[in-house]
Every structure is written in C-alpha cells, then in structure tokens.
Amino acid sequence: MQREIITYPNKILKQKSKDIESFDKDLHTLLDDMYETMVSKNGIGLAAIQINVPLNAFIINLPNKNDEQIKEDLVEIINPKFIEKKGSTIYTEGCLSIPEYYDDVDRAEWIEVEYFDRYGKKVLAQYDGLMAIAFQHECDHLLGELFIEKLSFLKRKKFEKEWKKKLKGSK
Ligand code: CO
C-alpha cells in the first residue's frame, strides 16, 4: 500500500527513530509499503520516518548500469551501524521529503557498515559510490537530520527563501 511521504518542514522528520526488535509480518508490510511509496515517487531511497514510522529502517534501490531500477537490486536496511568511514566525496543530493530541491553535500567516500535484513540476519558490508552516499543520507533521516542541514549558512538561507515561496505557491 502506498503511504503519504512527509515533507519539510514537518517536525516529524526531526524525530529520532528507534531500533526494530521483531522481524515479523508488520516489518515486512512496512518495508513493502516503503518500496511501493518510493517507486511511485521515482526515489532511490526512503527511510521509515518519511512515512511517519519512527523505526530504524530504510531502503535503497539504485539504478543499474543500464539505468534501470529493478527490484532485484533493492537493499533493505534495518538497525544500521557504521563501523568505519573513509575519504570524502561531494554529490548533488535530493530527498523525497524536500521535493525538487537538489544541492551538493560532502560525505564519506567509503563506508563499512553492519545492519540486519528483513529476516533478522546480520549483514556486514562495504560500500562506495552512490550506495555509500545514499546509505549516509538515509542514516541521517534515522537521526532526525536532513541534507539541507549540511549546507553552508548562505545556501541554507537561500533554500529557506525558495522553499517558503514554493509552499506559498502550492496553497
Ligand atoms: Co531523504
């Protein structure tokens, strides 16, 4: 079932999410709903808090080398932890909770992480490229943080001005 995506500046997005304790049917329904919701908005990542569920879960589904987004590449991440981060890289990020706004964000280039899959199986993984960037972006959501909080003071001011204008226009 598709769910509604919460958008900035809704305070729910600032909430810290909690660890998932049971890898049960409810979790599977949540993850399935998140996938449906994300794909319907052409997103590549979505955290549970973005659909008003404050649990440590997110999904990432990057396009493959033929630029196709296929479900076989979907990664479901539960209760993630960083083990190590290395290097730095800048990428123009977007977010389904801040539609149609994109800006450059500096993040670690390489990460080593640990998380659980939907069945409660522990996964150890190393990521670089867009996967590492998306993983860090989604982990920030679980901490109640958005990528616009990483912008410089002036860029943030400019964003707030543009966003206010946009919100007014949509009313
Ligand atoms: Co986001």
Side-chain angles (χ1 to χ4, degrees), residues 98-136:
I98 314 171
E100 288 155 47
Y101 183 79
Y102 305 90
D103 218 326
D104 290 352
V105 181
D106 196 346
R107 297 195 187 270
E109 190 177 30
W110 180 92
I111 56 173
E112 182 167 38
V113 294
E114 164 185 296
Y115 59 88
F116 294 87
D117 72 7
R118 64 158 63 201
Y119 305 105
K121 191 179 150 227
K122 203 178 207 175
V123 180
L124 180 72
Q126 290 97 19
Y127 297 124
D128 58 10
L130 187 53
M131 186 63 191
I133 291 163
F135 199 100
Q136 293 170 81

Side-chain angles (χ1 to χ4, degrees), residues 13 45-47 50 93-98 134 137-138 141 145-147:
L13 293 167
L46 186 76
Q50 292 179 275
E93 297 187 16
C95 181
L96 290 177
S97 291
I98 314 171
H137 175 117
E138 300 309 330
H141 275 298
E145 290 167 15
L146 299 169
F147 81 93

Side-chain angles (χ1 to χ4, degrees), residues 53-169:
V53 179
L55 292 174
N56 284 330
F58 62 81
I59 57 172
I60 294 175
N61 194 4
L62 300 183
N64 62 22
K65 42 184 191 313
N66 301 320
D67 215 24
E68 291 161 335
Q69 189 181 34
I70 55 169
K71 202 175 178 181
E72 282 70 32
D73 295 327
L74 174 68
V75 187
E76 297 173 329
I77 290 133
I78 322 285
N79 302 347
K81 275 196 187 77
F82 288 101
I83 295 168
E84 215 180 323
K85 293 181 182 181
K86 279 184 197 165
S88 94
T89 182
I90 293 173
Y91 187 78
T92 309
E93 297 187 16
C95 181
L96 290 177
S97 291
I98 314 171
E100 288 155 47
Y101 183 79
Y102 305 90
D103 218 326
D104 290 352
V105 181
D106 196 346
R107 297 195 187 270
E109 190 177 30
W110 180 92
I111 56 173
E112 182 167 38
V113 294
E114 164 185 296
Y115 59 88
F116 294 87
D117 72 7
R118 64 158 63 201
Y119 305 105
K121 191 179 150 227
K122 203 178 207 175
V123 180
L124 180 72
Q126 290 97 19
Y127 297 124
D128 58 10
L130 187 53
M131 186 63 191
I133 291 163
F135 199 100
Q136 293 170 81
H137 175 117
E138 300 309 330
C139 277
D140 280 352
H141 275 298
L142 307 185
L143 299 171
E145 290 167 15
L146 299 169
F147 81 93
I148 47 168
E149 287 164 61
K150 298 196 179 295
L151 303 178
S152 69
F153 179 76
L154 283 176
K155 271 191 167 183
R156 178 63 186 268
K157 242 173 104 174
K158 198 171 154 249
F159 160 76
E160 292 295 342
K161 213 172 146 188
E162 276 175 31
W163 197 253
K164 245 184 213 157
K165 229 192 223 165
K166 184 186 156 144
L167 291 181
K168 256 191 197 153

